Amino acid sequence: MALSACSKSPSPASSPIGPAPTLNPAPGQNVVTKSLVAKPTTLDLGGVMVDTWAYGDAAPGPLLRATAGDMLRITLDNQLPEDTTIHWHGIRLRNVADGVPGQTQDPVRPGAAYTYEFTAPDPGTYFFHPHVGVQLDRGLYAPLIIDDPSEPGRYDAEWVVVLDDWIDGTGTTPDEVFTDLTGGQGAGMHHGNMGGMDHGSGGMAMSGKLPFGDAGDVVYPHYLINGRTPADPDVLRAKPGQRVRIRMINAGADTIFAVALGGHRMTVTATDGWAVEPVTTDALYIGMGERYDVEVTLGDGVFPLVAAPFGKAGRARALIRTGPGQAPAVDASLAELDGRVLFGTELRPTESSRLDPKDPDDHQMLHLAGQMQPYVWTINGKPFGKNSPLSLTRGTRTRLQMMNMTMMTHPMHLHGHTFALPNGLREDTVLIPPMRTIDVDFDADNPGDWMAHCHNIYHAEAGMMIALNYAT
Ligand SMILES: [Cu+2]
């Protein structure tokens, strides 16, 4: 049986929400219109054929691109055998378009269509995916880029690089993985490395440090960049000396990656769409649901762009080619992964990315707990559906104190808002390391029924979600 987030919602499916009110564009507002078909398909991941679900016939799905201030009008045609929705991850949109079944909309039934209408106010790198069950761990994800109309064209080229951990269609499905984690008899499932001691080629991890505690809960047979295995990788082409922006998105369900580009250092310029004071690094960590923009001036040759899964064996790889030459071996070591691996929380915001300085008026707590056996992950002592929604007040600066009482890292994601870390860094997803507490502040200026949850999709499905509600 496929569990869905909807099935655990406090709003029973028997009380329908109905269609979202129509959004009319403001005078002069540009409207980006697109249709997406969610459907079963067969994909070639690069020598590996899998039956999966995707938006169209590719994973990642089609790039969706607009300019800040545009209205998006996106129709989802559900040709899946299950209910689905789309969540526009990181966008500060109107609540009715947020894609949470039972909370902001009714689930989109098989054979039905649903139109999302919202304005995308902030430029940056985003993505979209279902907010139902563990569908994100299939091929149902795609990049969403919101361009900044005032940005100078500083780049010769721009690439979107989407990371993923892949298991669907390899003798099991994400639903079977979840069933197995929760004690059922799913097929083909292997439990993760509980001790987190097998550290693959994860940079700092190689030096024996365990910055994120236990690795994820699922062992994946494949790690992908732009839907390709390392053996038959995506090849990104440019000329030597060109300045390239790479927009990185971690669409994985259970995997933190360390990313490095062989022979280069990378300058990080934004996270979750918000500009940061540039930092040049050998490599950087990217958690599930996080995005980083980096810029690189390319050398001459063929270079591996590698994403090493934290605490797990294997790697994802693409190639950057600016000239002739032999590609390096799939498993060639990268010195950069053993160099400085940046943690996102070390970054500092630009002045333009800061929240106005203000003390919080409202304090709320997210107490994160859980364990593998039984497989239950909770916020404030209970799994989603049993925990009490947080009650916010419109117009207040709200502080969320996120306390991780587990030995795993949780990428905590807030819908409909971006928060500021204590150093001012703006994000919508932040990695909370084991036994650590991070306070984040945000303005409750976008009323509705929202979600905060772990972006490990198996944790979220096992209960690590909570609603935050406030009215106009
Ligand atoms: Cu988690």
Side-chain angles (χ1 to χ4, degrees):
M1 182 186 70
L3 295 175
S4 73
C6 160
S7 68
K8 293 183 187 169
S9 166
S11 310
S14 55
S15 54
I17 292 166
T22 300
L23 183 66
N24 293 309
Q29 187 179 24
N30 186 48
V31 181
V32 174
T33 303
K34 193 157 184 158
S35 292
L36 296 164
V37 181
K39 55 178 243 186
T41 189
T42 301
L43 298 182
D44 179 359
L45 307 179
V48 179
M49 302 297 293
V50 291
D51 291 331
T52 188
W53 299 350
Y55 297 119
D57 288 307
L63 170 67
L64 180 53
R65 189 152 206 155
T67 298
D70 284 355
M71 183 180 141
L72 287 84
R73 182 178 282 146
I74 313 297
T75 299
L76 165 64
D77 175 3
N78 182 13
Q79 296 183 10
L80 302 173
E82 278 183 12
D83 295 351
T84 194
T85 64
I86 294 178
H87 171 61
W88 312 93
H89 182 112
I91 303 284
R92 287 192 304 139
L93 41 54
R94 64 182 192 141
N95 187 241
V96 295
D98 197 43
V100 178
Q103 182 160 300
T104 67
Q105 67 169 93
D106 300 313
V108 184
R109 304 294 185 198
Y114 189 89
T115 300
Y116 292 90
E117 293 177 318
F118 56 95
T119 295
D122 305 309
T125 303
Y126 304 93
F127 71 126
F128 61 90
H129 58 76
H131 217 280
V132 172
V134 292
Q135 290 179 3
L136 168 62
D137 208 17
R138 302 196 188 235
L140 293 165
Y141 59 83
L144 168 56
I145 307 301
I146 305 297
D147 287 309
D148 184 347
S150 63
E151 184 184 62
R154 289 190 295 158
Y155 308 100
D156 299 309
E158 179 183 290
W159 297 323
V160 178
V161 163
V162 187
L163 315 178
D164 194 19
D165 45 17
W166 191 278
I167 196 165
D168 194 27
T170 63
T172 187
T173 68
D175 288 313
E176 290 171 355
V177 170
F178 186 74
T179 300
D180 210 55
L181 284 168
T182 52
Q185 296 298 312
M189 176 52 205
H190 334 275
H191 276 204
N193 303 298
M194 289 297 297
M197 297 306 288
D198 169 17
H199 278 277
S201 47
M204 281 182 70
M206 289 285 279
S207 66
K209 295 184 185 175
L210 302 174
F212 300 119
D214 295 345
D217 299 342
V218 181
V219 174
Y220 286 84
H222 304 290
Y223 297 95
L224 310 179
I225 290 180
N226 293 346
R228 307 297 296 177
T229 60
D232 188 5
D234 193 18
V235 180
L236 305 161
R237 294 172 195 276
K239 294 190 174 73
Q242 282 192 323
R243 213 170 145 76
V244 175
R245 167 159 58 188
I246 306 177
R247 296 178 181 269
M248 298 179 185
I249 300 166
N250 184 349
D254 181 69
T255 306
I256 298 167
F257 290 97
V259 182
L261 172 57
H264 295 77
R265 304 186 82 211
M266 302 180 289
T267 301
V268 182
T269 58
T271 177
D272 293 359
W274 293 87
V276 298
E277 295 293 345
V279 172
T280 300
T281 185
D282 298 307
L284 63 107
Y285 287 113
I286 177 168
M288 300 82 93
E290 288 192 305
R291 292 89 62 211
Y292 288 91
D293 294 358
V294 305
E295 55 181 63
V296 179
T297 301
L298 294 171
D300 190 353
V302 189
F303 306 99
L305 179 67
V306 168
F310 172 78
K312 301 177 182 184
R315 58 169 53 174
R317 184 180 80 143
L319 292 175
I320 292 176
R321 181 177 281 282
T322 63
Q326 188 77 30
V330 167
D331 56 355
S333 63
L334 262 72
E336 289 78 9
L337 285 172
D338 293 318
R340 178 187 180 195
V341 187
L342 181 114
F343 291 82
T345 48
E346 296 171 36
L347 295 165
R348 306 190 72 82
T350 60
E351 279 310 308
S352 63
S353 293
R354 285 186 182 274
L355 274 181
D356 299 335
K358 191 178 169 188
D359 288 330
D361 314 298
D362 185 19
H363 290 76
Q364 302 279 351
M365 181 181 286
L366 300 185
H367 184 281
L368 313 177
Q371 71 282 311
M372 293 295 288
Q373 289 183 334
Y375 193 79
V376 179
W377 297 91
T378 60
I379 296 182
N380 296 346
K382 293 180 177 143
F384 180 68
K386 293 184 175 151
N387 55 17
S388 300
L390 302 181
S391 186
L392 307 187
T393 304
R394 188 175 190 183
T396 58
R397 174 66 53 85
T398 303
R399 175 163 294 174
L400 289 182
Q401 185 173 69
M402 301 199 279
M403 299 178 62
N404 180 359
M405 305 306 289
T406 77
M407 295 312 293
M408 281 186 78
T409 295
H410 303 284
M412 293 301 296
H413 173 54
L414 175 63
H415 287 205
H417 305 74
T418 59
F419 47 70
L421 271 56
N423 72 357
L425 183 70
R426 294 291 288 280
E427 296 188 311
D428 56 65
T429 309
V430 61
L431 289 171
I432 317 281
M435 305 308 288
R436 284 270 307 281
T437 298
I438 295 182
D439 292 350
V440 301
D441 288 3
F442 66 98
D443 285 326
D445 58 2
N446 191 9
D449 293 345
W450 299 104
M451 285 286 199
H453 64 89
C454 179
H455 224 274
N456 179 313
I457 216 65
Y458 294 93
H459 291 188
E461 184 61 7
M464 199 173 250
M465 294 201 286
I466 196 165
L468 302 84
N469 301 340
Y470 60 114
T472 314

